[in-house]
């Protein structure tokens, strides 16, 4: 396994174009392959780096034999995508100015040894920004 090369892929169930806009316009990711119409787009943080993140139209998952969508009306958060940052406060302010709604301001969590804050994308997926250094 190459776990250190893991890419996060979000399954979009509601509005693909809205998610595409969120990740390009608010988060600042650069599309590498695909476009706003979907069903798949991979992104990078810099043109000289490989893709690190992707969105995929959830309805296309039916192409995989045996896959079935869980009952999302009753499903709680089961995963949080963690994004390390070198400057939590600056990234928080930049994303907030771009229109990202955060669950709270950056908080120091002494027991975890870090500062962090959380936000959701248009699909409701949970993301954590953290600096891992208090």
């Amino acid at each position: 396994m190459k776990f250190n090369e893991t890419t996060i892929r979000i399954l979009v169930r509601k509005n693909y174009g809205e998610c595409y806009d969120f990740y390009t316009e608010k988060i600042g990711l650069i599309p590498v392959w695909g476009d706003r119409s979907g069903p798949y787009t991979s992104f990078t943080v810099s043109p000289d780096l490989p893709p690190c993140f992707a969105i995929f139209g959830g309805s296309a998952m039916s192409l995989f034999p045996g896959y079935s969508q869980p009952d999302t009306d009753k499903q709680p958060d089961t995963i949080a995508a963690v994004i390390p940052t070198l400057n939590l406060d600056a990234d928080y302010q930049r994303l907030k100015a771009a229109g990202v709604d955060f669950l709270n301001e950056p908080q120091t969590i002494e027991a975890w040894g870090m500062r962090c804050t959380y936000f959701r994308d248009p699909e409701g997926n949970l993301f954590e920004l953290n600096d891992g250094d208090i």
Side-chain angles (χ1 to χ4, degrees), residues 14-53:
K14 299 172 188 166
N15 186 321
Y16 194 93
E18 183 180 18
C19 279
Y20 180 93
D21 294 345
F22 178 83
Y23 290 114
T24 56
E25 296 171 11
K26 294 184 179 182
I27 301 300
L29 296 177
I30 302 165
V32 174
W33 192 93
D35 58 32
R36 191 177 191 280
S37 63
Y40 179 83
T41 305
S42 61
F43 301 94
T44 185
V45 295
S46 175
D48 56 334
L49 294 174
C52 61
F53 184 81

Side-chain angles (χ1 to χ4, degrees), residues 5-111:
E5 297 178 20
T6 300
T7 297
I8 297 169
R9 182 179 299 145
I10 299 293
L11 298 180
V12 177
R13 302 264 175 219
K14 299 172 188 166
N15 186 321
Y16 194 93
E18 183 180 18
C19 279
Y20 180 93
D21 294 345
F22 178 83
Y23 290 114
T24 56
E25 296 171 11
K26 294 184 179 182
I27 301 300
L29 296 177
I30 302 165
V32 174
W33 192 93
D35 58 32
R36 191 177 191 280
S37 63
Y40 179 83
T41 305
S42 61
F43 301 94
T44 185
V45 295
S46 175
D48 56 334
L49 294 174
C52 61
F53 184 81
I55 56 176
F56 183 61
S59 61
M61 281 297 295
S62 62
L63 298 172
F64 182 78
Y67 175 81
S68 62
Q69 171 63 20
D71 183 357
T72 56
D73 291 336
K74 298 178 183 175
Q75 181 67 36
D77 289 330
T78 58
I79 190 168
V82 178
I83 305 168
T85 177
L86 296 175
N87 190 329
L88 178 62
D89 295 314
D91 286 336
Y92 169 78
Q93 291 299 331
R94 180 181 61 80
L95 293 174
K96 189 173 179 181
V100 174
D101 293 322
F102 284 85
L103 304 182
N104 57 11
E105 294 181 1
Q107 305 289 315
T108 298
I109 314 289
E110 297 282 346

Side-chain angles (χ1 to χ4, degrees), residues 101-130:
D101 293 322
F102 284 85
L103 304 182
N104 57 11
E105 294 181 1
Q107 305 289 315
T108 298
I109 314 289
E110 297 282 346
W112 296 353
M114 67 180 198
R115 293 182 66 242
C116 65
T117 187
Y118 293 87
F119 66 90
R120 293 185 186 278
D121 72 0
E123 289 282 308
N125 296 301
L126 185 64
F127 288 82
E128 172 187 292
L129 280 181
N130 81 55

